[in-house]
Amino acid sequence: NAGVTQTPKFRVLKTGQSMTLLCAQDMNHEYMYWYRQDPGMGLRLIHYSVGEGTTAKGEVPDGYNVSRLKKQNFLLGLESAAPSQTSVYFCASSSQLAGKETQYFGPGTRLLVL
Amino acid sequence: AQKVTQAQTEISVVEKEDVTLDCVYETRDTTYYLFWYKQPPSGELVFLIRRNSFDEQNEISGRYSWNFQKSTSSFNFTITASQVVDSAVYFCALSEGYNQGGKLIFGQGTELSVKP
């Protein structure tokens, strides 16, 4: 039982390049989330999904797209990377069952955009 | 609008001291959840506790305790007899409830440094 995993762990991009971050969970959770963490700002929600095939915008969605084609996977895409997207990205998942709503986080992906 | 404030940016204590991390929240919802997460220097986010808005009982887990007071909209975290391994950034977070997707709103974090 690996919990929440993220690929890759670290990536360097040039401005304008694209990439996809992969999040996978093996806990059969319905809800999945992408956050970014910047110094002094805590974590901010980018996009989230309440089930396979559904996604919604969070607090800071601009410049990102997401897809949830399978229940266990949640992809975060950057179509044209910008230096402002240099950050640490965390994926999380949670159950929707009452009493089990805690979000569990992956180890993070460190992204540097030059 | 929902908001979480952790006014203490950094705290430094000497080992074995007690330390309290403050968390104040704002929400108009009557049903909500509060969380604490720990982020050690290795970077992962470790879940510590979840409390729902209907349960104001204080919680104790080993050297950790939490004080939830709806009257002051606070959910403070105390570490008793701190240890060097407690050095980390601690985040308080608020969830609006799962009919709204369960999104977490985080405070800015408090960096705790425990010196030997």
Short mmCIF file of all heavy atoms in Angstrom, two decimals, chain B residues 5-72:
data_model
loop_
_atom_site.label_atom_id
_atom_site.label_comp_id
_atom_site.label_asym_id
_atom_site.label_seq_id
_atom_site.Cartn_x
_atom_site.Cartn_y
_atom_site.Cartn_z
N THR B 5 -5.37 31.79 9.97
CA THR B 5 -4.24 32.66 10.32
C THR B 5 -3.36 31.99 11.36
O THR B 5 -3.84 31.60 12.43
CB THR B 5 -4.75 34.01 10.86
OG1 THR B 5 -5.57 34.65 9.87
CG2 THR B 5 -3.58 34.92 11.20
N GLN B 6 -2.10 31.85 11.03
CA GLN B 6 -1.10 31.40 11.98
C GLN B 6 -0.15 32.58 12.15
O GLN B 6 0.73 32.81 11.34
CB GLN B 6 -0.36 30.17 11.45
CG GLN B 6 -1.25 28.96 11.32
CD GLN B 6 -0.50 27.76 10.77
OE1 GLN B 6 -0.67 27.38 9.61
NE2 GLN B 6 0.31 27.14 11.61
N ALA B 7 -0.35 33.32 13.21
CA ALA B 7 0.35 34.58 13.37
C ALA B 7 1.83 34.40 13.67
O ALA B 7 2.65 35.28 13.39
CB ALA B 7 -0.31 35.41 14.46
N GLN B 8 2.19 33.26 14.23
CA GLN B 8 3.59 33.00 14.57
C GLN B 8 4.30 32.43 13.35
O GLN B 8 4.03 31.31 12.95
CB GLN B 8 3.68 32.01 15.73
CG GLN B 8 2.92 32.42 16.96
CD GLN B 8 2.44 31.19 17.73
OE1 GLN B 8 1.80 30.31 17.16
NE2 GLN B 8 2.74 31.12 19.01
N THR B 9 5.20 33.19 12.77
CA THR B 9 5.92 32.71 11.59
C THR B 9 7.01 31.73 12.00
O THR B 9 7.18 30.69 11.38
CB THR B 9 6.53 33.89 10.82
OG1 THR B 9 5.49 34.83 10.52
CG2 THR B 9 7.19 33.43 9.55
N GLU B 10 7.75 32.10 13.04
CA GLU B 10 8.84 31.25 13.52
C GLU B 10 8.84 31.24 15.04
O GLU B 10 8.58 32.27 15.67
CB GLU B 10 10.20 31.79 13.04
CG GLU B 10 10.39 31.80 11.55
CD GLU B 10 11.74 32.38 11.15
OE1 GLU B 10 12.59 32.58 12.04
OE2 GLU B 10 11.94 32.66 9.97
N ILE B 11 9.11 30.07 15.60
CA ILE B 11 9.27 29.94 17.04
C ILE B 11 10.53 29.14 17.30
O ILE B 11 10.76 28.11 16.64
CB ILE B 11 8.07 29.21 17.69
CG1 ILE B 11 6.77 29.96 17.45
CG2 ILE B 11 8.31 29.04 19.18
CD1 ILE B 11 5.55 29.22 17.99
N SER B 12 11.31 29.59 18.27
CA SER B 12 12.51 28.85 18.64
C SER B 12 12.46 28.56 20.13
O SER B 12 12.22 29.47 20.93
CB SER B 12 13.76 29.66 18.30
OG SER B 12 14.93 28.92 18.62
N VAL B 13 12.64 27.30 20.49
CA VAL B 13 12.64 26.90 21.90
C VAL B 13 13.82 25.99 22.15
O VAL B 13 14.46 25.47 21.21
CB VAL B 13 11.33 26.18 22.28
CG1 VAL B 13 10.13 27.09 22.08
CG2 VAL B 13 11.17 24.88 21.53
N VAL B 14 14.08 25.79 23.43
CA VAL B 14 15.12 24.86 23.83
C VAL B 14 14.44 23.55 24.20
O VAL B 14 13.32 23.53 24.72
CB VAL B 14 15.94 25.41 25.01
CG1 VAL B 14 16.97 24.40 25.49
CG2 VAL B 14 16.62 26.71 24.61
N GLU B 15 15.11 22.46 23.91
CA GLU B 15 14.56 21.14 24.19
C GLU B 15 13.99 21.07 25.60
O GLU B 15 14.53 21.63 26.54
CB GLU B 15 15.66 20.09 24.01
CG GLU B 15 15.17 18.73 23.62
CD GLU B 15 16.30 17.79 23.23
OE1 GLU B 15 17.46 18.06 23.60
OE2 GLU B 15 16.01 16.80 22.55
N LYS B 16 12.86 20.38 25.72
CA LYS B 16 12.11 20.14 26.95
C LYS B 16 11.18 21.29 27.32
O LYS B 16 10.38 21.14 28.26
CB LYS B 16 13.02 19.81 28.13
CG LYS B 16 13.82 18.53 27.92
CD LYS B 16 14.64 18.16 29.15
CE LYS B 16 15.46 16.90 28.87
NZ LYS B 16 16.34 16.53 30.01
N GLU B 17 11.26 22.39 26.60
CA GLU B 17 10.29 23.45 26.83
C GLU B 17 8.95 23.06 26.23
O GLU B 17 8.88 22.30 25.26
CB GLU B 17 10.75 24.77 26.18
CG GLU B 17 11.83 25.50 26.93
CD GLU B 17 12.11 26.85 26.27
OE1 GLU B 17 11.19 27.44 25.67
OE2 GLU B 17 13.25 27.30 26.35
N ASP B 18 7.87 23.59 26.80
CA ASP B 18 6.55 23.45 26.18
C ASP B 18 6.36 24.59 25.18
O ASP B 18 6.87 25.70 25.39
CB ASP B 18 5.46 23.53 27.24
CG ASP B 18 5.54 22.42 28.28
OD1 ASP B 18 6.31 21.44 28.05
OD2 ASP B 18 4.86 22.53 29.31
N VAL B 19 5.63 24.31 24.12
CA VAL B 19 5.41 25.35 23.11
C VAL B 19 3.98 25.22 22.55
O VAL B 19 3.49 24.10 22.36
CB VAL B 19 6.45 25.25 21.97
CG1 VAL B 19 6.43 23.89 21.30
CG2 VAL B 19 6.29 26.37 20.97
N THR B 20 3.34 26.35 22.34
CA THR B 20 1.99 26.37 21.78
C THR B 20 1.98 27.10 20.45
O THR B 20 2.49 28.22 20.35
CB THR B 20 0.99 27.04 22.74
OG1 THR B 20 0.88 26.23 23.93
CG2 THR B 20 -0.39 27.14 22.10
N LEU B 21 1.42 26.45 19.46
CA LEU B 21 1.28 27.03 18.13
C LEU B 21 -0.17 27.49 17.96
O LEU B 21 -1.10 26.69 18.17
CB LEU B 21 1.63 26.00 17.04
CG LEU B 21 2.96 25.26 17.22
CD1 LEU B 21 3.20 24.32 16.05
CD2 LEU B 21 4.10 26.23 17.37
N ASP B 22 -0.34 28.73 17.59
CA ASP B 22 -1.68 29.31 17.51
C ASP B 22 -2.28 29.17 16.12
O ASP B 22 -1.57 29.27 15.11
CB ASP B 22 -1.64 30.79 17.89
CG ASP B 22 -1.18 31.02 19.32
OD1 ASP B 22 -1.39 30.12 20.15
OD2 ASP B 22 -0.61 32.10 19.59
N CYS B 23 -3.59 28.99 16.08
CA CYS B 23 -4.32 28.92 14.82
C CYS B 23 -5.69 29.57 15.03
O CYS B 23 -6.44 29.16 15.93
CB CYS B 23 -4.49 27.48 14.36
SG CYS B 23 -5.54 27.29 12.89
N VAL B 24 -6.00 30.56 14.23
CA VAL B 24 -7.31 31.22 14.27
C VAL B 24 -7.94 31.08 12.90
O VAL B 24 -7.26 31.25 11.88
CB VAL B 24 -7.16 32.71 14.65
CG1 VAL B 24 -8.50 33.42 14.55
CG2 VAL B 24 -6.58 32.85 16.04
N TYR B 25 -9.22 30.77 12.86
CA TYR B 25 -9.86 30.54 11.57
C TYR B 25 -11.11 31.39 11.43
O TYR B 25 -11.68 31.87 12.43
CB TYR B 25 -10.21 29.06 11.40
CG TYR B 25 -11.20 28.55 12.42
CD1 TYR B 25 -12.57 28.56 12.16
CD2 TYR B 25 -10.77 28.07 13.66
CE1 TYR B 25 -13.48 28.12 13.10
CE2 TYR B 25 -11.67 27.63 14.59
CZ TYR B 25 -13.02 27.65 14.31
OH TYR B 25 -13.91 27.22 15.24
N GLU B 26 -11.53 31.58 10.19
CA GLU B 26 -12.77 32.29 9.88
C GLU B 26 -13.57 31.45 8.91
O GLU B 26 -13.05 30.97 7.89
CB GLU B 26 -12.47 33.64 9.21
CG GLU B 26 -11.72 34.63 10.07
CD GLU B 26 -11.37 35.90 9.29
OE1 GLU B 26 -12.09 36.23 8.33
OE2 GLU B 26 -10.34 36.51 9.61
N THR B 27 -14.84 31.26 9.19
CA THR B 27 -15.73 30.57 8.28
C THR B 27 -17.17 30.93 8.59
O THR B 27 -17.49 31.21 9.75
CB THR B 27 -15.54 29.04 8.35
OG1 THR B 27 -16.44 28.41 7.42
CG2 THR B 27 -15.84 28.51 9.75
N ARG B 28 -18.01 30.90 7.58
CA ARG B 28 -19.45 31.12 7.80
C ARG B 28 -20.21 29.80 7.87
O ARG B 28 -21.40 29.78 8.17
CB ARG B 28 -20.03 31.99 6.68
CG ARG B 28 -19.73 33.46 6.86
CD ARG B 28 -20.32 34.27 5.73
NE ARG B 28 -19.25 34.75 4.85
CZ ARG B 28 -19.47 35.40 3.72
NH1 ARG B 28 -20.68 35.61 3.29
NH2 ARG B 28 -18.47 35.80 2.99
N ASP B 29 -19.50 28.71 7.56
CA ASP B 29 -20.15 27.40 7.60
C ASP B 29 -20.38 26.97 9.05
O ASP B 29 -19.61 27.32 9.95
CB ASP B 29 -19.26 26.35 6.92
CG ASP B 29 -19.18 26.57 5.43
OD1 ASP B 29 -20.05 27.25 4.88
OD2 ASP B 29 -18.24 26.02 4.82
N THR B 30 -21.44 26.22 9.26
CA THR B 30 -21.68 25.67 10.60
C THR B 30 -21.04 24.30 10.73
O THR B 30 -20.80 23.83 11.84
CB THR B 30 -23.19 25.56 10.87
OG1 THR B 30 -23.79 24.79 9.82
CG2 THR B 30 -23.83 26.94 10.92
N THR B 31 -20.80 23.64 9.60
CA THR B 31 -20.12 22.35 9.59
C THR B 31 -18.78 22.52 8.89
O THR B 31 -18.74 22.92 7.73
CB THR B 31 -20.94 21.28 8.87
OG1 THR B 31 -22.21 21.15 9.52
CG2 THR B 31 -20.21 19.95 8.89
N TYR B 32 -17.72 22.23 9.60
CA TYR B 32 -16.39 22.36 9.01
C TYR B 32 -15.44 21.45 9.78
O TYR B 32 -15.80 20.88 10.82
CB TYR B 32 -15.90 23.83 9.04
CG TYR B 32 -15.96 24.49 10.40
CD1 TYR B 32 -14.89 24.43 11.28
CD2 TYR B 32 -17.11 25.18 10.79
CE1 TYR B 32 -14.95 25.03 12.52
CE2 TYR B 32 -17.18 25.79 12.03
CZ TYR B 32 -16.10 25.71 12.90
OH TYR B 32 -16.16 26.31 14.13
N TYR B 33 -14.24 21.32 9.23
CA TYR B 33 -13.22 20.47 9.83
C TYR B 33 -11.93 21.26 9.96
O TYR B 33 -11.61 22.09 9.10
CB TYR B 33 -12.97 19.23 8.96
CG TYR B 33 -14.19 18.37 8.76
CD1 TYR B 33 -15.11 18.66 7.75
CD2 TYR B 33 -14.42 17.28 9.57
CE1 TYR B 33 -16.23 17.87 7.57
CE2 TYR B 33 -15.55 16.49 9.39
CZ TYR B 33 -16.44 16.79 8.39
OH TYR B 33 -17.56 16.01 8.21
N LEU B 34 -11.20 20.99 10.99
CA LEU B 34 -9.91 21.62 11.23
C LEU B 34 -8.83 20.55 11.30
O LEU B 34 -9.07 19.45 11.83
CB LEU B 34 -9.93 22.43 12.53
CG LEU B 34 -10.88 23.62 12.52
CD1 LEU B 34 -11.15 24.10 13.93
CD2 LEU B 34 -10.31 24.75 11.66
N PHE B 35 -7.67 20.89 10.79
CA PHE B 35 -6.58 19.93 10.70
C PHE B 35 -5.27 20.58 11.15
O PHE B 35 -5.09 21.80 11.05
CB PHE B 35 -6.37 19.46 9.25
CG PHE B 35 -7.55 18.80 8.61
CD1 PHE B 35 -8.60 19.55 8.10
CD2 PHE B 35 -7.61 17.42 8.52
CE1 PHE B 35 -9.70 18.94 7.50
CE2 PHE B 35 -8.70 16.80 7.91
CZ PHE B 35 -9.74 17.57 7.40
N TRP B 36 -4.36 19.72 11.60
CA TRP B 36 -2.95 20.11 11.73
C TRP B 36 -2.11 19.11 10.95
O TRP B 36 -2.34 17.89 11.04
CB TRP B 36 -2.52 20.12 13.20
CG TRP B 36 -2.86 21.38 13.92
CD1 TRP B 36 -3.96 21.64 14.70
CD2 TRP B 36 -2.08 22.58 13.97
NE1 TRP B 36 -3.91 22.90 15.20
CE2 TRP B 36 -2.77 23.51 14.78
CE3 TRP B 36 -0.85 22.97 13.42
CZ2 TRP B 36 -2.28 24.79 15.04
CZ3 TRP B 36 -0.37 24.23 13.67
CH2 TRP B 36 -1.08 25.13 14.48
N TYR B 37 -1.14 19.67 10.20
CA TYR B 37 -0.17 18.87 9.48
C TYR B 37 1.23 19.31 9.90
O TYR B 37 1.46 20.48 10.20
CB TYR B 37 -0.30 19.05 7.96
CG TYR B 37 -1.49 18.37 7.34
CD1 TYR B 37 -2.74 19.00 7.29
CD2 TYR B 37 -1.38 17.09 6.80
CE1 TYR B 37 -3.83 18.37 6.70
CE2 TYR B 37 -2.47 16.46 6.20
CZ TYR B 37 -3.68 17.11 6.17
OH TYR B 37 -4.77 16.49 5.58
N LYS B 38 2.15 18.35 9.86
CA LYS B 38 3.56 18.62 10.15
C LYS B 38 4.37 18.44 8.87
O LYS B 38 4.17 17.45 8.14
CB LYS B 38 4.06 17.64 11.22
CG LYS B 38 5.55 17.72 11.52
CD LYS B 38 5.93 16.67 12.56
CE LYS B 38 7.42 16.70 12.87
NZ LYS B 38 7.80 15.69 13.89
N GLN B 39 5.28 19.36 8.60
CA GLN B 39 6.17 19.23 7.46
C GLN B 39 7.61 19.28 7.96
O GLN B 39 8.18 20.34 8.18
CB GLN B 39 5.93 20.34 6.42
CG GLN B 39 6.73 20.13 5.14
CD GLN B 39 6.40 21.15 4.07
OE1 GLN B 39 6.29 22.34 4.34
NE2 GLN B 39 6.25 20.68 2.83
N PRO B 40 8.22 18.11 8.17
CA PRO B 40 9.62 18.08 8.63
C PRO B 40 10.55 18.55 7.52
O PRO B 40 10.12 18.74 6.39
CB PRO B 40 9.83 16.60 8.97
CG PRO B 40 8.81 15.87 8.16
CD PRO B 40 7.64 16.79 7.98
N PRO B 41 11.83 18.72 7.85
CA PRO B 41 12.79 19.20 6.84
C PRO B 41 12.83 18.34 5.58
O PRO B 41 13.21 18.83 4.52
CB PRO B 41 14.12 19.17 7.60
CG PRO B 41 13.73 19.36 9.03
CD PRO B 41 12.42 18.65 9.19
N SER B 42 12.45 17.09 5.66
CA SER B 42 12.45 16.22 4.48
C SER B 42 11.36 16.60 3.48
O SER B 42 11.39 16.15 2.33
CB SER B 42 12.28 14.76 4.91
OG SER B 42 11.16 14.64 5.76
N GLY B 43 10.38 17.39 3.91
CA GLY B 43 9.43 17.97 2.97
C GLY B 43 8.06 17.36 2.87
O GLY B 43 7.16 17.98 2.30
N GLU B 44 7.87 16.15 3.36
CA GLU B 44 6.54 15.55 3.23
C GLU B 44 5.56 16.17 4.21
O GLU B 44 5.96 16.80 5.19
CB GLU B 44 6.60 14.03 3.44
CG GLU B 44 6.82 13.60 4.87
CD GLU B 44 8.28 13.48 5.25
OE1 GLU B 44 9.12 14.15 4.62
OE2 GLU B 44 8.56 12.73 6.18
N LEU B 45 4.29 16.02 3.97
CA LEU B 45 3.24 16.54 4.86
C LEU B 45 2.64 15.38 5.63
O LEU B 45 2.11 14.43 5.05
CB LEU B 45 2.16 17.25 4.04
CG LEU B 45 2.56 18.63 3.57
CD1 LEU B 45 1.78 19.01 2.34
CD2 LEU B 45 2.34 19.66 4.67
N VAL B 46 2.73 15.48 6.93
CA VAL B 46 2.28 14.40 7.80
C VAL B 46 1.02 14.86 8.54
O VAL B 46 1.04 15.87 9.24
CB VAL B 46 3.37 14.02 8.81
CG1 VAL B 46 2.87 12.90 9.72
CG2 VAL B 46 4.65 13.61 8.10
N PHE B 47 -0.05 14.08 8.40
CA PHE B 47 -1.29 14.39 9.08
C PHE B 47 -1.13 14.15 10.57
O PHE B 47 -0.61 13.12 11.01
CB PHE B 47 -2.40 13.49 8.52
CG PHE B 47 -3.64 13.42 9.35
CD1 PHE B 47 -4.49 14.49 9.42
CD2 PHE B 47 -3.94 12.28 10.08
CE1 PHE B 47 -5.65 14.43 10.18
CE2 PHE B 47 -5.09 12.21 10.83
CZ PHE B 47 -5.95 13.28 10.89
N LEU B 48 -1.61 15.11 11.39
CA LEU B 48 -1.55 14.97 12.84
C LEU B 48 -2.93 14.77 13.45
O LEU B 48 -3.12 13.87 14.28
CB LEU B 48 -0.89 16.21 13.47
CG LEU B 48 0.57 16.46 13.13
CD1 LEU B 48 1.05 17.73 13.78
CD2 LEU B 48 1.43 15.28 13.55
N ILE B 49 -3.89 15.63 13.10
CA ILE B 49 -5.20 15.54 13.74
C ILE B 49 -6.27 16.17 12.86
O ILE B 49 -5.99 17.09 12.09
CB ILE B 49 -5.20 16.22 15.12
CG1 ILE B 49 -6.51 15.91 15.87
CG2 ILE B 49 -4.99 17.73 14.98
CD1 ILE B 49 -6.50 16.35 17.32
N ARG B 50 -7.47 15.66 12.97
CA ARG B 50 -8.67 16.24 12.37
C ARG B 50 -9.72 16.42 13.45
O ARG B 50 -9.92 15.54 14.29
CB ARG B 50 -9.22 15.32 11.28
CG ARG B 50 -10.50 15.82 10.63
CD ARG B 50 -10.95 14.83 9.53
NE ARG B 50 -11.38 13.57 10.12
CZ ARG B 50 -12.64 13.28 10.44
NH1 ARG B 50 -13.59 14.17 10.26
NH2 ARG B 50 -12.94 12.11 10.93
N ARG B 51 -10.38 17.55 13.43
CA ARG B 51 -11.43 17.84 14.40
C ARG B 51 -12.62 18.41 13.66
O ARG B 51 -12.46 19.32 12.85
CB ARG B 51 -10.91 18.81 15.46
CG ARG B 51 -11.91 19.31 16.43
CD ARG B 51 -12.40 18.20 17.34
NE ARG B 51 -11.39 17.83 18.33
CZ ARG B 51 -11.05 16.58 18.60
NH1 ARG B 51 -11.63 15.57 17.98
NH2 ARG B 51 -10.17 16.32 19.52
N ASN B 52 -13.84 17.92 13.91
CA ASN B 52 -14.99 18.51 13.26
C ASN B 52 -15.62 19.57 14.16
O ASN B 52 -15.37 19.61 15.37
CB ASN B 52 -16.01 17.44 12.83
CG ASN B 52 -16.74 16.82 13.99
OD1 ASN B 52 -17.25 17.54 14.85
ND2 ASN B 52 -16.81 15.51 14.02
N SER B 53 -16.42 20.41 13.57
CA SER B 53 -16.94 21.60 14.26
C SER B 53 -17.89 21.27 15.39
O SER B 53 -18.20 22.13 16.22
CB SER B 53 -17.62 22.52 13.25
OG SER B 53 -18.61 21.82 12.51
N PHE B 54 -18.38 20.03 15.44
CA PHE B 54 -19.31 19.67 16.50
C PHE B 54 -18.62 19.08 17.72
O PHE B 54 -19.28 18.79 18.72
CB PHE B 54 -20.32 18.66 15.96
CG PHE B 54 -21.15 19.21 14.85
CD1 PHE B 54 -21.03 18.72 13.56
CD2 PHE B 54 -22.06 20.23 15.06
CE1 PHE B 54 -21.78 19.24 12.52
CE2 PHE B 54 -22.82 20.76 14.04
CZ PHE B 54 -22.68 20.25 12.76
N ASP B 55 -17.32 18.90 17.62
CA ASP B 55 -16.60 18.22 18.68
C ASP B 55 -15.57 19.18 19.29
O ASP B 55 -14.49 19.34 18.74
CB ASP B 55 -15.91 16.97 18.13
CG ASP B 55 -15.20 16.19 19.22
OD1 ASP B 55 -15.27 16.61 20.40
OD2 ASP B 55 -14.59 15.17 18.89
N GLU B 56 -15.92 19.79 20.40
CA GLU B 56 -15.02 20.75 21.02
C GLU B 56 -14.16 20.13 22.11
O GLU B 56 -13.48 20.83 22.84
CB GLU B 56 -15.81 21.93 21.61
CG GLU B 56 -16.26 22.92 20.57
CD GLU B 56 -16.74 24.22 21.20
OE1 GLU B 56 -15.90 25.03 21.62
OE2 GLU B 56 -17.97 24.41 21.26
N GLN B 57 -14.18 18.82 22.23
CA GLN B 57 -13.35 18.19 23.24
C GLN B 57 -11.88 18.37 22.89
O GLN B 57 -11.48 18.24 21.73
CB GLN B 57 -13.65 16.69 23.32
CG GLN B 57 -14.94 16.38 24.02
CD GLN B 57 -15.08 14.89 24.27
OE1 GLN B 57 -14.35 14.09 23.70
NE2 GLN B 57 -16.02 14.52 25.11
N ASN B 58 -11.09 18.65 23.90
CA ASN B 58 -9.66 18.71 23.68
C ASN B 58 -9.12 17.31 23.44
O ASN B 58 -9.71 16.31 23.86
CB ASN B 58 -8.96 19.36 24.87
CG ASN B 58 -9.29 20.83 24.97
OD1 ASN B 58 -9.62 21.47 23.97
ND2 ASN B 58 -9.22 21.37 26.17
N GLU B 59 -8.00 17.25 22.73
CA GLU B 59 -7.42 15.96 22.39
C GLU B 59 -5.97 15.92 22.86
O GLU B 59 -5.26 16.91 22.76
CB GLU B 59 -7.47 15.75 20.88
CG GLU B 59 -6.78 14.49 20.38
CD GLU B 59 -7.75 13.48 19.86
OE1 GLU B 59 -8.96 13.74 19.86
OE2 GLU B 59 -7.28 12.41 19.41
N ILE B 60 -5.58 14.78 23.38
CA ILE B 60 -4.19 14.60 23.79
C ILE B 60 -3.69 13.31 23.13
O ILE B 60 -4.36 12.28 23.16
CB ILE B 60 -4.06 14.47 25.32
CG1 ILE B 60 -4.53 15.77 25.99
CG2 ILE B 60 -2.62 14.17 25.72
CD1 ILE B 60 -4.57 15.70 27.50
N SER B 61 -2.50 13.41 22.56
CA SER B 61 -1.86 12.24 21.98
C SER B 61 -0.38 12.29 22.34
O SER B 61 0.41 13.01 21.71
CB SER B 61 -2.05 12.22 20.46
OG SER B 61 -1.37 11.13 19.88
N GLY B 62 -0.01 11.59 23.36
CA GLY B 62 1.38 11.61 23.81
C GLY B 62 1.78 12.99 24.28
O GLY B 62 1.15 13.58 25.17
N ARG B 63 2.79 13.57 23.64
CA ARG B 63 3.25 14.91 24.03
C ARG B 63 2.46 16.01 23.32
O ARG B 63 2.68 17.19 23.56
CB ARG B 63 4.73 15.05 23.69
CG ARG B 63 5.65 14.12 24.46
CD ARG B 63 7.11 14.38 24.13
NE ARG B 63 7.44 14.12 22.74
CZ ARG B 63 7.68 15.04 21.83
NH1 ARG B 63 7.61 16.33 22.15
NH2 ARG B 63 7.99 14.70 20.58
N TYR B 64 1.57 15.62 22.41
CA TYR B 64 0.79 16.59 21.64
C TYR B 64 -0.59 16.76 22.25
O TYR B 64 -1.22 15.78 22.67
CB TYR B 64 0.61 16.10 20.20
CG TYR B 64 1.86 15.99 19.36
CD1 TYR B 64 1.80 15.39 18.10
CD2 TYR B 64 3.09 16.46 19.78
CE1 TYR B 64 2.91 15.29 17.29
CE2 TYR B 64 4.21 16.36 18.98
CZ TYR B 64 4.13 15.77 17.74
OH TYR B 64 5.23 15.66 16.94
N SER B 65 -1.08 17.99 22.26
CA SER B 65 -2.45 18.25 22.66
C SER B 65 -3.01 19.39 21.83
O SER B 65 -2.27 20.25 21.36
CB SER B 65 -2.55 18.57 24.17
OG SER B 65 -1.82 19.75 24.46
N TRP B 66 -4.34 19.36 21.67
CA TRP B 66 -5.00 20.36 20.87
C TRP B 66 -6.17 20.94 21.64
O TRP B 66 -6.92 20.22 22.28
CB TRP B 66 -5.52 19.73 19.56
CG TRP B 66 -4.41 19.33 18.64
CD1 TRP B 66 -3.86 20.08 17.65
CD2 TRP B 66 -3.74 18.08 18.61
NE1 TRP B 66 -2.87 19.38 17.01
CE2 TRP B 66 -2.77 18.14 17.59
CE3 TRP B 66 -3.83 16.90 19.35
CZ2 TRP B 66 -1.92 17.09 17.28
CZ3 TRP B 66 -2.99 15.85 19.06
CH2 TRP B 66 -2.04 15.95 18.03
N ASN B 67 -6.31 22.25 21.55
CA ASN B 67 -7.38 22.96 22.23
C ASN B 67 -8.25 23.66 21.20
O ASN B 67 -7.80 24.60 20.54
CB ASN B 67 -6.78 23.98 23.22
CG ASN B 67 -7.85 24.75 23.96
OD1 ASN B 67 -8.15 25.89 23.62
ND2 ASN B 67 -8.43 24.12 24.96
N PHE B 68 -9.49 23.20 21.04
CA PHE B 68 -10.43 23.74 20.05
C PHE B 68 -11.47 24.58 20.79
O PHE B 68 -12.18 24.06 21.66
CB PHE B 68 -11.09 22.59 19.30
CG PHE B 68 -12.16 23.00 18.32
CD1 PHE B 68 -12.12 24.21 17.66
CD2 PHE B 68 -13.22 22.14 18.04
CE1 PHE B 68 -13.10 24.58 16.76
CE2 PHE B 68 -14.20 22.49 17.13
CZ PHE B 68 -14.15 23.71 16.49
N GLN B 69 -11.57 25.85 20.45
CA GLN B 69 -12.55 26.73 21.08
C GLN B 69 -13.32 27.48 20.01
O GLN B 69 -12.80 28.40 19.38
CB GLN B 69 -11.85 27.72 22.02
CG GLN B 69 -11.23 27.07 23.25
CD GLN B 69 -10.89 28.08 24.33
OE1 GLN B 69 -10.65 29.24 24.03
NE2 GLN B 69 -10.86 27.63 25.58
N LYS B 70 -14.57 27.10 19.82
CA LYS B 70 -15.40 27.76 18.81
C LYS B 70 -15.67 29.21 19.18
O LYS B 70 -15.81 30.05 18.30
CB LYS B 70 -16.72 27.00 18.64
CG LYS B 70 -16.56 25.68 17.93
CD LYS B 70 -17.88 24.95 17.80
CE LYS B 70 -18.75 25.56 16.73
NZ LYS B 70 -19.94 24.70 16.48
N SER B 71 -15.74 29.50 20.46
CA SER B 71 -16.07 30.86 20.89
C SER B 71 -15.02 31.88 20.43
O SER B 71 -15.34 33.05 20.20
CB SER B 71 -16.21 30.92 22.41
OG SER B 71 -14.99 30.55 23.03
N THR B 72 -13.79 31.43 20.30
CA THR B 72 -12.71 32.31 19.85
C THR B 72 -12.18 31.90 18.47
O THR B 72 -11.19 32.45 18.00
CB THR B 72 -11.54 32.30 20.85
OG1 THR B 72 -11.10 30.94 21.03
CG2 THR B 72 -11.97 32.89 22.19
#
